[in-house]
Amino acid sequence: MPIDESRPFLPVRIAVLTVSDTRTLAEDRSGDALVERLTAAGHVLAERAILRDDAGDLVAQLHRWIDDDTVDCVITTGGTGVTGRDVTPEAVERVADKMIPGFGELFRWLSYQTIGTSTVQSRACACVARGTYIFALPGSTGAVKDAWDGILRDQLDSRHRPCNFVELMPRLNER
């Protein structure tokens, strides 16, 4: 999709949350790939954290960032599978005002081109929560690359036409 160079680029302040029972910052390749991509695109890394797969802890962290005026968007990586410990979508739903079902649908379509039918195991999702975007991605580096390169790079670019998530930010809390 086209980028309209006549429009200004507006950097988005993005918090990155890795959800994992086993990773540390030193081993977080998917988080690293996400941070590398978002900063290369001109966005601001607002904060970064790693939390274990615990829905209560995830909800608490999401609420902190939703209420933080220096965070426009949260991107999580991990915890979107179907095992008993995968609780990220449930945490996202607990804070959501509006789900964005097209995000997960498009992600799985893109992912299918890379990993085939294994994409059905992903519960990638997105929402708006009190004016903050939240995107929940699978924990693999490939999934992060598919989501950023295929969706988020354009939708978080204020110059992307015909429309993008950034231009809607001032209106997210309208009633």
Side-chain angles (χ1 to χ4, degrees), residues 48-98:
R48 183 173 178 186
I50 294 181
L51 288 178
R52 294 179 60 78
D53 293 89
D54 178 275
D57 290 346
L58 297 177
V59 167
Q61 181 63 60
L62 292 173
H63 279 302
R64 280 192 290 277
W65 282 338
I66 292 164
D67 293 335
D68 186 338
D69 290 337
T70 67
V71 175
D72 302 312
C73 174
V74 176
I75 305 176
T76 72
T77 174
T80 62
V82 297
T83 71
R85 297 284 302 152
D86 292 321
V87 295
T88 303
E90 288 78 12
V92 168
E93 289 173 6
R94 284 173 53 185
V95 302
D97 295 322
K98 292 186 178 190

Side-chain angles (χ1 to χ4, degrees), residues 133-149:
Y133 287 112
I134 301 173
F135 302 97
L137 314 179
S140 74
T141 304
V144 165
K145 291 176 182 178
D146 286 347
W148 182 267
D149 298 348

Side-chain angles (χ1 to χ4, degrees), residues 103-162:
F103 176 81
E105 295 162 0
L106 181 54
F107 172 79
R108 282 179 285 280
W109 178 79
L110 291 168
S111 179
Y112 177 78
Q113 297 171 49
T114 306
I115 64 169
T117 60
S118 295
T119 194
V120 301
Q121 297 176 28
S122 168
R123 297 184 304 136
C125 61
C127 76
V128 176
R130 297 190 311 277
T132 301
Y133 287 112
I134 301 173
F135 302 97
L137 314 179
S140 74
T141 304
V144 165
K145 291 176 182 178
D146 286 347
W148 182 267
D149 298 348
I151 306 170
L152 295 173
R153 178 185 57 213
D154 289 339
Q155 282 299 299
L156 294 177
D157 190 326
S158 56
R159 304 165 301 166
H160 182 265
R161 306 296 340 127

